Amino acid sequence: MTSRFSKGGRLIDRTKRLSFKFNGKNLFAYGGDTLASALLANNQVLIGRSFKYHRPRGIVSSGIEEPNALVSLGSGGSFEPNRSATTIELFDGVEATSQNHLGSLEWDIGSVNNLISKIFPAGFYYKTFINPRFAWKHIFEPTIRSAAGLGKAPKEEDGSSYDYFYAHLDVVIIGAGITGLVAANNLAKSGLKILLVEQKHFLGGYALSEEFKINNSNSFEFIKKLENELSNFENIIVKKNFSIIGIHDHSYLIGSENMEQMERNCQSSIRQRLWRIRAKHVILATGAIERPLVFAGNDIPGVMLCSAALEFYKLYGVSSGDRVVVLSNNDSAYSTVIELFNAGISVSLVIDVREKSDGNLPLKAKELGIRVEFNKAISKVIGKKKVKAVEVCSVVGEGAVLETIICDSVLMSGGWTSTLNLWSHCGGKIKWDSKLNTLVPDESFPSINEFGRSFITVLGSANGQFWPSDLFANIEKKLSRLYGELNLKKTKTLRFDINKNTNGETSSIFCVPEAADENLKAKSFVDYQNDVKLTDLRIAAQEGFESVEHLKRYTTLGMATDQGKLSNINGIQILANLLGKEINEVGTTTFRPPYTPISLGSIAGEARKELFKPIRRTPIHNWHQENGAIFEPVADWQRPYAYKGNNETLEEAIHREVKNTRNALGMLDASTLGKIIVSGTNAGEFLDLIYTNMMSSLKPGRCRYGLMCNENGFLFDDGVVARLDEKTFLCHTTTGGSDRVYSWMEEWHQTEWWDKKVFIQNLTEEYTQITIAGPKARLLLEKLGGLKVDNVNFKPLDFFEGKLGNFEVRVFRISFSGELSFEIAVPSKNGIAFWMRCLELGRDLGLTPYGTEALHIMRAEKGFIMIGDETDGTVIPQDLNLEWAISKKKKDFIGKRAHERIFMQDTNRKTLVGLSLKNSTKKIPDGAYALKSGGKGAKDVLGHITSSYFSPTLDKPIAMALLKNGKSLKGQEVDIPVDNGNILKATVVEPQFFDIEGKRQNV
Amino acid sequence: MLKFICPYCQVEADETELTPGGEAHLKRMGPGSSDQEFYNYLFERKNPRGIHFERWLHSYGCGKWFHVVRCTKTMEVFGTYSAQENNPPKKILDIVKKRISFGKKIK
Amino acid sequence: MKKYSAFSLVKESFNNHLGWEKAWKKSNPKKNYKIIIVGAGGHGLATAYYLGKNFGIKDVAVLEKGWLGGGNTGRNTTIIRSNYLQEESAAIYEKSRLLYETLSQELNYNVMFSPRGVMMLCQTEHELRAMKRTCHANRIYGVDTIMISPARMKEMIPIINIKGPRYPILGGLWQPRGGTARHDAVAWGYARAISSWGVDIIENCEVIGIKKNKNKISSVQTTKGDISCEKMCFVVAGNSSVMAELCGFRLPVESVALQALVSEPIKPVMNCVVMANTVHGYMSQSDKGEMVIGGGADGYNNYSQRGSFQHIEETVRALIETFPFISRLRQLRQWGGIVDMTGDRSPIISKTPVDNIYLNCGWGTGGFKAIPGSGWATAELVAKGEPGELAAPFSLERFKEGRMIDESVAAAVAH
């Protein structure tokens, strides 16, 4: 059984008692425990069930690489699935539940999968569920899907907050184990801005457990000293609970700072903080992760990594078992063996798969009287929900049992794999070193920064230097190279006095016994979480999935939440063996961010709900809101769609607005439309190139409706241009076009026609613009007073600047509704005041505001086009009967050449027409298509309806459409299929329905 | 997250301040050009897997367009220069030549 | 080719699955083939398949510079839909979707085509009108879609947030028989089929040059030697410009990065695919339980297969707005590919300036759904030397003519 020692445990505080729940059971632990150490202290060995076969699983590691001990934490807005128990700092009141079982954890009905696991090897689903066809959708897939997933989804909204942080640094040191701490100390005096980060909640890494002597002190004390010294330097920031999860191009790092504990203790309102870091140089001191060995039953609860057992003992005072058997292919396991032995644990046997080892540690173990057997292996672990015994066999052969040893803990060590993910995120290559039996960075293909230079230095275990003496030699060498690169004066590097030990080699045997039969292979796990066994890899190779990427995808090895930290290397080694190739031939998979999973909430940060995207508001916005406006989003703006009273439907409101504007007086907030000033000596010439019309001939004080095409010839924006004076034009654009047209003009000016002397300014937000429209429009302006507004002095398309009712204004006599209409611009700071003044004076005239929908109906009644409805990115002005707006005199303008292409001249192009419905009170549905009368399918399609409304002015539906060779269809009938197989019949007419001579706007 | 030094305001601008603008030094074809020439201008692009001469806009900064010489495979940047230069400056071309002649494998 | 079935699976389980054969043969190239296809991604393999199936042409080699299916086919968000606006697009995507319906049976390989439906959200009035237009067009052009109200959508997708606050959902376009499939399986399924009738699939074989005779292809130079052929078709997606350069011409194509990510696996919460174009994000749940999330492409030329982090941010924000509960889920993996964007964002299936060289590219961010239809149409083009009905609109010539096939209606924002 697993239990707590009566003393010891570097990180726990035995005076602080914590209570927590696991699957509803009340348990106790100490401050400083992780959930994993707390569970082990309470003899809770079975923690969860595996993904596919629902096999009982327990804790295998002590860090982020944990594949098995996944729990769901919390409830409600703080519910979180799939948390690994080894990384949860325990706090009082934790509620954790196990995952992925039907029924209880102990008696999981899903474990029936395990019994028939032979039928379900990796990739079995590709070979079956093919027939009958309907069964995949209705039976097989739903079954698979409901069995899938590990934890349940959170049901409530996330109650936590997340934010961002930005940092510009000279050096980022990733990993504050002994290597990172030494590197930081070394660089501290240089004055460089340094960030030292550590993903665990404590510094010192594995050296806190696997102690050694350095400079005559214990490594543990040495680390404390380094920590304290660092706090003296202002130029170094040290962060715990901080993972660098990705290194991106141009030395941009993303870091995730976990503030969960502080959030819980109400010391922080933020749960996680995402750091965006630019670092001139990166030091990877990310250490190494121990590999499991592959043997039958290596997934049974109680089988654990040696380093994990050592950490549980040294850091948390927890014993992983009373009777331990150790299986190893290297010397490092013996550190664990000796420490546990000295703690009084019974180490029944150390099984070493190697022939021998000359190392100090195995020798010491022997001296202590610990039983060590070389050339041996484990044939099988006995036990279902926990380890009961092991069967010992020879390394060679198929696993004939030589001895059965009763035990409750199997500790394994398959060697160490350097953690080099971050080295390769930006293209750096990694290779396998068959002497060290680990990955090493390929220094001839490093990740490079924007200058084409390597910017990552790898130190310590991450560089394959696992033993303390080698480690420090390596640090010294590499740091002196780094000094050169950073142009630093060489400060005296700290001297380290470490005993050089003899260390035996790590064997390349990791899969035992070497000739295991199929039954044993079928119980030897390579990827724990995804239940990938040795037999699966064999099947994959046998079926030709020989590239490591294919292997991964076919077997799902390495694709679980632990991202293959314990399984990738073993998988690659097995594949190489199966194919008879070297590991470097087979290749390693590409490492990509994130290094560890990070919450989606932390990626989104604060940009959620109201802050998801900024809203642009006009100065009149609050008034709109208070007066019943229903808003519609247009680009980033909110525009009133209509003003709905309490006693009317939306449609009634819109019709009321239309009628009122046509019969009396209406007012619209047009502030969102673009206002771009183009001024300068060459302003006219410049605009001649931008618009299809001739703008340079526009006289000061006059307005002209202009069209803009792109170089491909398609109409993309329209608006009225007013000439303010000789050198100054004011261009109006659509709402969605304001920023786009401004950028467009700047682009052409800066990159093509920079010889033209013009200034371009986007003044959209500087002015509130209000449309006063209706037969009584002039009366309101007269009431305001200050400008001559009779028909002689203020003609249609005139522009005046002056005062109206004590407000500085620009007034344009332009009409989109077809009524007598003035658009009045006031500086934004006066916007709401002007609006209110108009309301006040207009009350007696029947002035009411109208929204965008009323405007759209009115313009459609007049046959005016709207960008985005009559245009869709494939329409040219000629299609819309707007040839009159295209200057024939100009030699060149944007789009002119495009119009000359063959397809643009085709008479069968869709052109704009109107549609009149027979016998209908309902409008044609939006977006409907028109076919030849009596037509059936696609070949009879004439075109589509671009705008469709019910006109309250005419009391009938109106519509405009783009139909092939529209002119030739005038007077003809067309069919419009709508829902439910019905067909509307419409007649093709001119696309103007009301006041065709345009009399009303010219009064 | 790329960053470039804007040749106008000298700010080292993050990609989020910038808007990409495609291939640089396209020769505009207008009325009088053949269909093939016009198509080349509008659509045909080098799209190299390697050194690319391209345009960027410092949209959330000084608002200026500028040119960048960048490797599309490794993101290495060889220099930035003004949008009003029709050809890359010799200084940058020399850097590029030197880099390529080192036999840099761009796979 | 040994048949896959539940029976054979059970039978083999008694034999420890030692009887399964290689899914496709590994071979070295012969000196000559009738047709060489460059690119063993989904489209290239499908082309080889339909050359054999529809035209009986089996003297074919598929050359792949990396590992089979290792490009965009091996790293996409698996969405299959055909609810496109333009007639020409709807035709080829719907053909493709129909082929997906029976692909598992056709190939005797479970590609796990799951017609669980695709929902496209409308979050502005303009988008709503555009989707309605697409719905009408779909009906006429033979694609089955309907408009869905927000209330009905909430019933179908309980976890969706229809209330905004920034972009309340106004409606949706629903394609009931769109869905997803297992992307690797599609490549492996086609590969197994063509390998079984003798097509050579040659991996780790990069094309480094082209030899022409007058203006006609005579052979292909590769890292495994020269191979002569009668016809060649290159189907290499993001690397199309590189191939075209070897052939002596340029393309209206730019290669940019497209990124996607998955969350850790959770129990089933969502049965269909949801696409939110206004906020630039889409999500579905894989059979393994992972939430598969994607967004728009990065904006600059990029062959590195990695993109910039802010695009991931924008996509995740968009999805948290739409599905607030995912905030506490964790991102497990992300990846990037190289997508080829053409001048009108529609694909190119076409003859080229060189005789007997054919081209299939430009699928941009939407290539996976098109694999069977694209292969079908390209096979016809290569076999006959002239495009059939499906491929004809997608010729390279359309750019010169000004005849764009533009699907970006909903993107235009105005008034």
Side-chain angles (χ1 to χ4, degrees), chain B residues 20-100:
Chain B
E23 188 176 314
H25 306 308
L26 298 173
K27 183 152 168 37
R28 180 168 185 265
M29 294 289 164
S33 58
S34 69
D35 276 349
Q36 182 68 45
E37 287 172 320
F38 188 60
Y39 157 73
N40 290 355
Y41 154 61
L42 264 196
F43 294 112
E44 240 187 39
R45 296 291 178 264
K46 296 195 184 96
N47 193 28
R49 191 173 64 197
I51 313 272
H52 192 224
F53 295 85
E54 56 192 27
R55 309 184 313 154
W56 285 81
L57 168 65
H58 196 179
S59 31
Y60 295 108
C62 66
K64 292 292 193 194
W65 281 90
F66 58 96
H67 289 131
V68 176
V69 185
R70 176 181 66 90
C71 173
T72 60
K73 185 75 172 98
T74 63
M75 305 301 124
E76 188 177 344
V77 178
F78 298 94
T80 60
Y81 54 103
S82 125
Q84 288 87 45
E85 289 184 59
N86 277 322
N87 292 301
K90 184 171 183 312
K91 202 167 64 162
I92 297 182
L93 288 177
D94 284 343
I95 299 176
V96 170
K97 271 199 207 98
K98 221 162 66 158
R99 204 73 167 87
I100 295 179

Side-chain angles (χ1 to χ4, degrees), chain A residues 5-166:
Chain A
F5 285 103
S6 56
K7 49 181 170 47
R10 294 217 152 106
L11 296 182
I12 57 171
D13 177 357
R14 290 179 189 254
T15 65
K16 211 160 146 222
R17 221 158 104 96
L18 302 176
S19 62
F20 70 103
K21 277 195 172 138
F22 179 66
N23 284 348
K25 244 190 305 187
N26 284 313
L27 300 169
F28 297 98
Y30 293 122
D33 262 323
T34 60
L35 179 59
S37 61
L39 288 167
L40 289 174
N42 283 278
N43 193 23
Q44 180 68 40
V45 170
L46 173 61
I47 310 286
R49 293 273 174 172
S50 70
F51 173 55
K52 206 157 95 184
Y53 301 136
H54 287 243
R55 287 173 67 84
R57 288 285 163 79
I59 297 166
V60 161
S61 75
S62 54
I64 56 154
E65 60 272 17
E66 176 58 37
N68 286 337
L70 300 186
V71 300
S72 295
L73 271 193
S75 54
S78 67
F79 177 79
E80 206 184 346
N82 301 337
R83 289 293 303 270
S84 64
T86 51
T87 59
I88 300 168
E89 270 182 81
L90 199 67
F91 54 94
D92 204 45
V94 162
E95 286 184 30
T97 44
S98 54
Q99 302 182 155
N100 203 42
H101 43 90
L102 298 161
S104 74
L105 176 60
E106 280 75 21
W107 303 106
D108 176 12
I109 302 172
S111 57
V112 69
N113 285 3
N114 196 19
L115 297 173
I116 44 175
S117 62
K118 259 212 161 139
I119 312 178
F120 299 137
F124 75 93
Y125 30 78
Y126 299 123
K127 300 191 169 83
T128 180
F129 304 138
I130 299 173
N131 285 304
R133 187 156 79 85
F134 73 87
W136 173 253
K137 178 178 182 192
H138 296 282
I139 305 176
F140 300 134
E141 201 190 14
T143 310
I144 291 179
R145 284 172 78 78
S146 63
L150 296 164
K152 296 205 187 73
K155 281 215 167 61
E156 287 178 32
E157 263 189 50
D158 191 348
S160 293
S161 294
Y162 304 88
D163 75 0
Y164 290 162
F165 197 77
Y166 297 85

Side-chain angles (χ1 to χ4, degrees), chain A residues 401-459:
Chain A
V401 180
L402 299 174
E403 194 183 340
T404 305
I405 302 188
I406 306 217
C407 58
D408 61 358
S409 165
V410 177
L411 303 182
M412 54 182 176
S413 178
W416 293 78
T417 308
S418 306
T419 303
L420 288 171
N421 303 47
L422 294 172
W423 167 263
S424 72
H425 280 179
C426 256
K429 291 202 165 67
I430 298 178
K431 56 185 184 194
W432 180 259
D433 185 318
S434 48
K435 194 160 175 298
L436 298 170
N437 269 305
T438 185
L439 297 173
V440 292
D442 188 347
E443 299 276 0
S444 25
F445 292 103
S447 286
I448 56 171
N449 59 15
E450 68 268 31
F451 304 111
R453 290 204 292 274
S454 168
F455 64 104
I456 304 179
T457 301
V458 186
L459 294 181

Side-chain angles (χ1 to χ4, degrees), chain C residues 230-286:
Chain C
E230 214 178 283
K231 295 182 181 176
M232 185 270 274
C233 180
F234 62 95
V235 193
V236 294
N239 284 302
S240 298
S241 297
V242 177
M243 265 306 295
E245 189 85 21
L246 291 178
C247 298
F249 54 89
R250 291 211 170 124
L251 294 176
V253 163
E254 291 189 286
S255 301
V256 298
L258 178 66
Q259 301 180 79
L261 58 129
V262 292
S263 77
E264 56 199 333
I266 51 173
K267 292 292 175 202
V269 286
M270 188 162 91
N271 283 334
C272 66
V273 180
V274 175
M275 304 186 68
N277 289 336
T278 296
V279 296
H280 306 303
Y282 51 89
M283 187 166 90
S284 65
Q285 187 168 27
S286 73

Side-chain angles (χ1 to χ4, degrees), chain C residues 338-381:
Chain C
I338 314 171
V339 295
D340 37 342
M341 310 292 263
T342 63
D344 60 3
R345 302 293 185 259
S346 288
I348 301 174
I349 306 175
S350 177
K351 299 195 282 193
T352 68
V354 179
D355 287 342
N356 285 9
I357 295 187
Y358 305 90
L359 163 65
N360 173 337
C361 73
W363 296 93
T365 60
F368 178 69
K369 66 177 78 73
I371 288 175
S374 157
W376 182 284
T378 309
E380 187 173 14
L381 168 65

Side-chain angles (χ1 to χ4, degrees), chain A residues 321-335:
Chain A
D322 297 330
R323 297 178 67 170
V324 170
V325 168
V326 177
L327 178 69
S328 174
N329 72 352
N330 66 84
D331 273 14
S332 73
Y334 289 86
S335 309

Side-chain angles (χ1 to χ4, degrees), chain A residues 640 643 657 661 666-669 771 773 817 848-852 854-855 858:
Chain A
Y643 300 84
E657 288 172 12
T661 306
M667 184 161 89
L668 172 93
D669 180 1
T771 309
S817 57
T848 55
Y850 62 97
T852 55
L855 178 61
M858 288 193 281

